Amino acid sequence: MNIAINSFVLNYVKALPWLCLLLGSTTALAEGSRVVAAGGATTIEGSAGGGIVPWAVINGYGSSGEWSATAMATGVYVDDFTLKVIGASLSFDNRFELSVARQTFDLDTMGGELGQDIVGVKYKVVGELLYTAMPQITLGAQYKKVDDFTLPQAVGARDDRGIDWYVAASKIFFDALAGRNLLLNGTVRATKANQTGLLGFGTQASNDYLFVLEASAAVLLTDNLALGIEYRQKPNELGFAREDDWQDVFLAWFINKHLSVVTAYSKLGSIAGFDDQQGWYVSIEGSL
């Protein structure tokens, strides 16, 4: 099962450019109708958003009746660990989003690595990011499965797979801060994941979903440059080590509708008993 999921993720990423060309022969794809930065960036879990928090936006630039596709590569480099992510997404009608991501978590200090595959779906329920008084609201789900359950099971995790459910609301407020546009996002997630799933799901003592809060705010310094902050609450259920909330300060440069770069300074707190994990985040995304 794990081999099949890995193959699916890698094949999806490799096949995406060809799929985009095929779709582009019959529908608007490469130059979607939405404005630059309207699709946000891509999170470490593959969904459209910031770096660590999914937003209510749909990835890419496709509007009504249009397809859009993205591919990304991300690295997070903190004191004792390195997280590498590749991913891709396909969206339609600025309403549906399908995403996949492959995470590799290198245990730099201890040695070894953990891996996880993620398949996400997102659906816009109501509202618009720019043009309505009501925020854009989406529902999303992320199916996650770790490669090797040996370490997660040893530290008290119950399962090697799980599903995160979330609802997100995003809105841009024009001329809100010193004449600049301001994006605000709030996300509520139901999860059993330990360290986003890299250390398994649930515990031997409990298999209940926990509700956690996530938030983002970004000021659009120019039409294609955004400075923002993110905060992500974590469950902290495993007894062997504390799991702290995550936060970052990011700068996103949407060079054009085909290329964007996000860099951030992240504070991830305690991970697997290693305290005060902080360092740099960088992500490159291409869109069609």
Side-chain angles (χ1 to χ4, degrees):
M1 177 64 176
N2 188 44
I3 294 174
I5 293 176
N6 288 345
S7 177
F8 170 73
V9 172
L10 293 175
N11 288 338
Y12 187 98
V13 174
K14 292 176 181 177
L16 189 53
W18 301 103
L19 180 59
C20 292
L21 290 174
L22 177 62
L23 293 171
S25 66
T26 56
T27 56
L29 186 75
E31 285 290 349
S33 300
R34 291 191 290 156
V35 298
V36 169
T42 302
T43 69
I44 58 171
E45 292 157 316
S47 304
I52 58 175
V53 175
W55 300 351
V57 300
I58 301 298
N59 225 336
Y61 292 98
S63 187
S64 299
E66 297 175 340
W67 292 88
S68 186
T70 67
M72 67 86 171
T74 296
V76 185
Y77 307 91
V78 295
D79 298 288
D80 296 288
F81 305 98
T82 300
L83 176 66
K84 293 174 287 188
V85 188
I86 59 170
S89 71
L90 184 66
S91 61
F92 176 68
D93 200 35
N94 191 24
R95 186 166 297 274
F96 301 96
E97 175 186 297
L98 171 65
S99 63
V100 293
R102 168 66 184 171
Q103 296 182 338
T104 303
F105 190 60
D106 293 327
L107 312 175
D108 299 337
T109 299
M110 297 183 293
E113 68 177 33
L114 300 171
Q116 179 174 228
D117 297 310
I118 304 172
V119 178
V121 293
K122 186 189 290 188
Y123 174 75
K124 184 175 75 172
V125 179
V126 70
E128 292 290 342
L129 183 68
L130 298 171
Y131 305 118
T132 64
M134 176 176 288
Q136 182 164 316
I137 298 174
T138 60
L139 299 176
Q142 297 169 341
Y143 171 81
K144 305 177 178 182
K145 186 180 185 306
V146 297
D147 290 349
D148 187 345
F149 192 49
T150 304
L151 179 58
Q153 187 175 40
V155 299
R158 178 186 290 258
D159 294 314
D160 67 347
R161 68 197 71 189
I163 301 177
D164 283 5
W165 306 90
Y166 65 89
V167 57
S170 299
K171 184 65 183 162
I172 286 183
F173 299 90
F174 296 106
D175 299 325
L177 190 63
R180 306 294 181 183
N181 298 337
L182 175 67
L183 179 141
L184 295 179
N185 177 84
T187 301
V188 178
R189 183 189 299 258
T191 183
K192 300 180 183 181
N194 306 307
Q195 293 294 0
T196 75
L198 288 163
L199 288 179
F201 302 85
T203 68
Q204 297 303 323
S206 173
N207 197 37
D208 295 333
Y209 273 100
L210 296 176
F211 290 92
V212 292
L213 302 178
E214 306 171 9
S216 304
V219 178
L220 296 172
L221 303 176
T222 66
D223 289 342
N224 66 343
L225 192 65
L227 177 66
I229 58 174
E230 295 185 289
Y231 181 87
R232 177 167 175 167
Q233 189 178 25
K234 305 292 287 306
N236 192 29
E237 288 291 284
L238 287 178
F240 91 104
R242 188 176 74 253
E243 181 175 351
D244 289 335
D245 297 345
W246 287 0
Q247 51 197 307
D248 68 38
V249 177
F250 69 86
L251 183 66
W253 181 23
F254 301 92
I255 300 169
N256 51 45
K257 289 187 178 182
H258 302 290
L259 183 64
S260 63
V261 179
V262 179
T263 185
Y265 191 77
S266 305
K267 297 183 67 176
L268 308 184
S270 180
I271 298 177
F274 291 85
D275 293 335
D276 198 26
Q277 296 298 303
Q278 51 188 305
W280 292 98
Y281 169 110
V282 62
S283 180
I284 300 174
E285 178 182 307
S287 301
L288 291 175

